């Protein structure tokens, strides 16, 4: 997969089959669209996903409260699994948003991206103030000589998957449901940084994860079963997302205790797949009570790994 950081850096001698969208989370619904644009004759056409960064709501409305399922780096990595040939991550800003619908079609889709066909949702809107819809796009297609394939409401409803539903499942701590909608385990990515080393004194050393992107959505506070691939070896562990109420912290942190791993991970970037919710976050009266509970969490996790075959 080739990655372009602007529509203006994209070059292809082939006509393109394009879809457009944020593709946040690259969930099952998105995956079905990717299949549509990658299934045509690859010798004659090349597949393109046009997405934007930052998210239009962040760029235009300064909406810093919006939380996304995937960072741009995570989304790029996920898309590599679906035979997409070209990913364009175009900077979204006020100037780009000012393009009227026909300018967007003629200058971007036709002139720059050499479109043969565009595959788009029935509810897609585009151009300045989102003024144009699928009917306008079909009319432009006839004028400029490209096909429009509409993903209809019935098809989307049958998939019954949306980023909104996944976000709700994650905020409820319902990892199984979120992973079912995603089609893969929800991931977080961050750098291992120094922590208070409390886990080490309890016999459960943890890697403290710093997530640099403040727009990344995290699941509900609690303890989770997770896994990570480190130097091509898969390790399971139990991860805590929360405020460490037993020691009176107020700042949210993410830390993971890996089973059977003694490697120094400081300053390494790791990707963690979250598999199951173990329990709610809880304040314990003493550190001994916390240590006892961590032992129970580990037993639960190891039994779960042993009995579960779908990881």
């Amino acid at each position: 997969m080739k990655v372009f950081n602007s529509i203006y850096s994209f070059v292809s001698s082939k006509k393109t089959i394009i879809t457009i969208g944020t593709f946040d989370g690259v969930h099952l619904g998105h995956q079905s669209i990717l299949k549509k644009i990658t299934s045509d004759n690859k010798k004659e056409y090349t597949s393109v996903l046009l997405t934007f960064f930052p998210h239009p709501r962040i760029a235009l409305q300064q909406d810093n409260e919006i939380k996304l399922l995937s960072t741009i780096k995570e989304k790029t990595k996920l898309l590599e699994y679906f035979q997409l040939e070209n990913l364009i991550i175009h900077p979204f800003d006020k100037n780009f948003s000012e393009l009227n619908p026909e300018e967007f079609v003629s200058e971007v889709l036709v002139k720059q991206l050499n479109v043969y066909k565009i595959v788009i949702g029935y509810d897609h809107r585009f151009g300045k103030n989102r003024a144009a819809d699928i009917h306008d796009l079909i009319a432009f297609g006839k004028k400029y000589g490209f096909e429009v394939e509409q993903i209809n409401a019935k098809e989307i409803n049958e998939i019954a998957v949306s980023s909104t539903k996944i976000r709700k499942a994650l905020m409820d701590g319902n990892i199984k449901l979120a992973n079912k909608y995603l089609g893969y385990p929800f991931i977080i990515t961050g750098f291992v940084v120094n922590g208070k080393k409390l886990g080490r004194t309890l016999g459960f050393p943890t890697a403290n994860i710093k997530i640099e992107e403040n727009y990344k959505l995290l699941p509900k506070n609690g303890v989770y079963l997770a896994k990570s691939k480190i130097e091509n070896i898969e390790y399971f562990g139990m991860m805590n997302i929360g405020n460490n109420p037993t020691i009176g912290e107020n700042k949210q942190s993410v830390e993971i205790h890996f089973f059977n791993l003694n490697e120094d991970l400081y300053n390494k970037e790791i990707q963690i797949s979250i598999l199951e919710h173990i329990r709610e976050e809880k304040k314990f009266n003493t550190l001994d009570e916390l240590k006892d509970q961590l032992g129970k969490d580990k037993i639960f996790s190891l039994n779960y790994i042993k009995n579960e075959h779908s990881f």
Side-chain angles (χ1 to χ4, degrees):
M1 183 178 78
K2 296 178 181 177
V3 181
F4 302 87
N5 293 320
S6 165
I7 53 175
Y8 304 112
S9 63
F10 175 78
V11 179
S12 174
S13 58
K14 295 181 180 181
K15 284 279 191 177
T16 59
I17 300 175
I18 300 173
T19 191
I20 303 171
T22 57
F23 277 61
D24 185 28
V26 196
H27 59 60
L28 288 174
H30 298 137
Q31 292 168 32
S32 69
I33 297 171
L34 291 170
K35 287 176 185 174
K36 290 177 185 291
I37 70 166
T38 58
S39 62
D40 281 272
N41 187 334
K42 288 193 175 264
K43 292 181 180 178
E44 193 173 353
Y45 309 111
T46 188
S47 56
V48 176
L49 167 58
L50 171 58
T51 192
F52 304 101
F53 187 80
H55 191 284
R57 271 174 55 188
I58 296 174
L60 298 181
Q61 303 170 21
Q62 298 297 301
D63 185 355
N64 294 321
E65 297 301 311
I66 187 171
K67 298 293 182 183
L68 302 179
L69 298 171
S70 51
T71 66
I72 197 68
K73 187 185 292 185
E74 288 168 345
K75 180 161 63 177
T76 301
K77 194 169 183 179
L78 286 166
L79 287 166
E80 290 176 351
Y81 290 101
F82 300 103
Q83 298 182 314
L84 180 69
E85 292 171 292
N86 303 281
L87 170 63
I88 302 173
I89 307 168
H90 188 76
F92 196 92
D93 55 23
K94 192 166 183 0
N95 286 338
F96 188 79
S97 74
E98 292 290 325
L99 286 174
N100 69 46
E102 187 154 10
E103 285 174 332
F104 175 74
V105 169
S106 62
E107 295 301 312
V108 176
L109 296 184
V110 177
K111 184 177 177 181
Q112 190 63 39
L113 302 185
N114 197 19
V115 61
Y116 160 73
K117 180 166 76 172
I118 182 166
V119 180
I120 211 75
Y122 73 96
D123 56 350
H124 182 76
R125 303 193 70 86
F126 64 98
K128 185 177 180 179
N129 297 323
R130 302 180 76 241
D133 61 15
I134 189 74
H135 304 291
D136 299 301
L137 189 60
I138 292 169
F140 286 134
K142 291 176 180 176
K143 180 176 179 179
Y144 290 99
F146 61 86
E147 295 180 16
V148 178
E149 181 178 335
Q150 180 180 351
I151 306 161
N152 61 46
K154 183 175 182 295
E155 186 175 355
I156 290 176
N157 289 336
E158 282 175 354
I159 294 168
V161 170
S162 72
S163 296
T164 302
K165 289 180 180 178
I166 297 167
R167 286 191 190 98
K168 185 179 186 308
L170 290 169
M171 289 187 288
D172 290 342
N174 194 342
I175 291 296
K176 263 191 175 172
L177 183 61
N179 290 351
K180 179 182 176 183
Y181 286 145
L182 286 166
Y184 62 88
F186 181 70
I187 59 173
I188 62 172
T189 308
F191 286 90
V192 178
V193 297
N194 275 305
K196 294 182 180 295
K197 297 182 171 61
L198 175 64
R200 184 172 298 177
T201 66
L202 298 174
F204 293 89
T206 60
N208 292 268
I209 311 301
K210 181 182 180 183
I211 299 166
E212 297 186 327
E213 299 84 357
N214 59 8
Y215 62 84
K216 171 70 176 183
L217 177 70
L218 292 179
K220 177 183 177 180
N221 285 358
V223 180
Y224 296 87
L225 175 63
K227 69 175 180 179
S228 187
K229 187 170 281 190
I230 300 168
E231 295 184 358
N232 291 320
I233 299 174
E234 197 169 70
Y235 295 95
F236 288 89
M238 51 192 194
M239 182 174 67
N240 184 77
I241 300 174
N243 303 317
N244 295 309
T246 302
I247 59 173
E249 286 194 352
N250 293 316
K251 186 179 179 182
Q252 188 183 49
S253 64
V254 178
E255 50 190 322
I256 181 166
H257 167 72
F258 286 111
F259 309 134
N260 305 317
L261 175 65
N262 297 314
E263 186 180 340
D264 181 2
L265 298 175
Y266 287 121
N267 299 318
K268 290 186 178 180
E269 185 180 47
I270 61 173
Q271 180 175 290
I272 300 166
S273 299
I274 307 178
L275 307 173
E276 182 59 283
H277 180 254
I278 297 174
R279 63 173 171 85
E280 303 288 323
E281 184 176 46
K282 181 181 177 182
K283 181 177 181 179
F284 296 92
N285 294 320
T286 66
L287 289 180
D288 283 339
E289 285 185 16
L290 172 57
K291 182 177 180 179
D292 182 61
Q293 182 60 56
L294 291 173
K296 293 175 182 176
D297 294 340
K298 182 174 182 178
I299 291 169
F300 173 88
S301 298
L302 293 175
N303 285 333
Y304 195 97
I305 295 164
K306 183 179 178 181
N307 295 322
E308 181 62 55
H309 303 287
S310 61
F311 293 146

